[in-house]
């Protein structure tokens, strides 16, 4: 394996692109996702061509100490770094030599181990106080791209958090925020009126699980998984709210920071710890045929507390998905009364029984007529980083898994991806 070692002899005062030289080199390697190993060494003493001598003696500690930056990488990638160094390093010597490599192995992963929570959190998040009306929080969440609001005291310290789960479980909101956002204004307002008497302190989760901004990202994800949480309020050293960390932030970061593993493999580098969708997917999923009536689909969703069900043909090939959002369209023409009855948390089946016209429609229509067929899918061999990329690009929480013949094999979720990364799959 043909590699090169690029050596840079510089000093603590050496700069490149406005940064200390060693920081700039590391940033360059990271930005260009090069298959490199880099070591930065600070010397105990040294000599410079202008005749000055660097020493660790206490009386002249102000003198800049020498630094040596060594980068080992495949020969095919070396020119990328060398070209930039020739133009950018303002002080020092840049050299290169050949290196015969007998093995290069690396652990494949998704989460960058060096990142801190503060590096990726959403800073300055919207917050509420214990006296904030719940209806205001619900309206905020319906119109926002996030599903949780921290509740803070007069000193800005988190005392609770309100999520979609709190709205459903404690405020008795009958539908998810995503479904609520799809409703006509009249029906949405009728449903939210049931929240008018509540304050944030009535429904918030308290005490709240917090994470410090200086905590490692991998530790924050592990905490989220162990507590079954999708977001964490982030606090500073004084305990005041400074941000929110959500699973969406984690997935966006994975997409941006994950190395180009395909390119790395082409350099004959051995990747260990490789996992694919087949290793982590859920296989015990429910299906219905395209000929199933919507009444039957309602029963499957209600009986198994599902948000979606796969529609397959006689050979098991995936034709589409039916979600609770798909079923809600059946009620879209109903007036306020049906939404008021939804506040009693009726199942789709029970709602249909109470609305004769809807039930007659549900008995006539089939899964094939209602299903969503324009789907993003993966195979059991799909690498996990590609799944993350697709979920992030399309803002999807779960993806259907198909075999080579298009047969539906199961689903892969965000939660299973994170557990696999931390060794919990």
């Amino acid at each position: 394996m043909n590699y090169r070692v690029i050596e840079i002899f510089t000093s603590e005062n050496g700069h490149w692109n406005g940064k200390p030289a060693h920081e700039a080199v590391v940033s360059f390697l990271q930005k260009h996702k090069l298959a490199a190993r880099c070591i930065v060494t600070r010397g105990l003493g040294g000599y410079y061509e202008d005749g000055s001598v660097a020493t660790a003696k206490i009386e002249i500690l102000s003198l800049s100490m020498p630094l040596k930056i060594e980068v080992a990488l495949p020969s095919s990638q070396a020119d990328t770094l060398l070209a930039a160094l020739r133009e950018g390093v303002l002080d020092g010597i840049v050299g290169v030599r050949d290196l015969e490599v007998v093995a290069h192995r690396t652990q494949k992963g998704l989460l960058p181990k060096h990142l801190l929570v503060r590096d990726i959190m959403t800073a300055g998040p919207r917050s509420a106080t214990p006296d904030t009306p719940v209806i205001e929080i619900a309206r905020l969440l319906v119109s926002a791209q996030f599903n949780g609001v921290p509740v803070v005291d007069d000193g800005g310290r988190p005392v609770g958090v309100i999520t979609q789960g709190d709205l459903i479980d404690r405020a008795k909101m009958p539908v998810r925020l995503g479904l609520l956002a799809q409703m006509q204004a009249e029906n949405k307002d009728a449903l939210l009126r049931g929240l008018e008497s509540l304050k944030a302190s009535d429904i918030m989760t308290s005490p709240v699980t917090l994470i410090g901004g200086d905590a490692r990202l991998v530790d924050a994800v592990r905490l989220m998984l162990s507590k079954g949480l999708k977001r964490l309020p982030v606090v500073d050293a004084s305990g005041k709210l400074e941000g929110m960390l959500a699973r969406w932030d984690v997935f966006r970061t994975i997409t941006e920071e994950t190395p180009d593993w395909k390119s790395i493999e082409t350099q004959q580098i051995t990747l260990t710890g490789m996992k694919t969708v087949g290793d982590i997917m859920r296989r015990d999923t429910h299906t219905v045929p395209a000929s199933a009536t919507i009444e039957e689909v309602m029963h499957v969703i209600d009986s198994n507390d599902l948000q979606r069900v796969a529609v397959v043909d006689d050979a098991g090939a995936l034709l589409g998905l039916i979600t609770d959002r798909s079923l809600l369209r059946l009620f879209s023409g109903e007036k306020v009364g049906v939404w008021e009855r939804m506040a009693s948390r009726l199942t789709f089946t029970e709602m249909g029984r109470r609305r004769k016209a809807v039930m007659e429609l549900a008995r006539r229509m089939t899964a094939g007529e209602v299903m969503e067929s324009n789907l993003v899918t993966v195979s059991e061999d799909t690498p996990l980083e590609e799944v993350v990329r697709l979920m992030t690009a399309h803002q999807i929480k779960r993806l259907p898994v198909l075999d080579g013949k298009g047969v539906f094999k199961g689903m892969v979720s965000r939660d299973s991806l994170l557990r696999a990364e931390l060794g919990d799959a």
Side-chain angles (χ1 to χ4, degrees), residues 1-6 73 75 78 95-101:
M1 300 170 67
N2 296 319
Y3 277 55
R4 284 185 173 182
V5 175
I6 298 172
L73 73 173
S75 297
V96 61
R97 58 184 170 86
D98 292 333
L99 177 68
E100 182 63 29
V101 173

Side-chain angles (χ1 to χ4, degrees), residues 39-55:
I39 298 175
V40 179
T41 307
R42 182 178 185 268
L44 296 175
Y47 170 82
Y48 298 105
E49 56 271 90
D50 63 359
S52 59
V53 176
T55 176

Side-chain angles (χ1 to χ4, degrees), residues 38 65 71 133 158 165 208 211 230 270 295 311 327 403 420:
C38 178
M65 299 301 286
V71 181
V208 60
I211 191 76
K230 297 180 179 179
T270 302
E295 182 181 19
V311 182
L327 294 180
D403 68 10

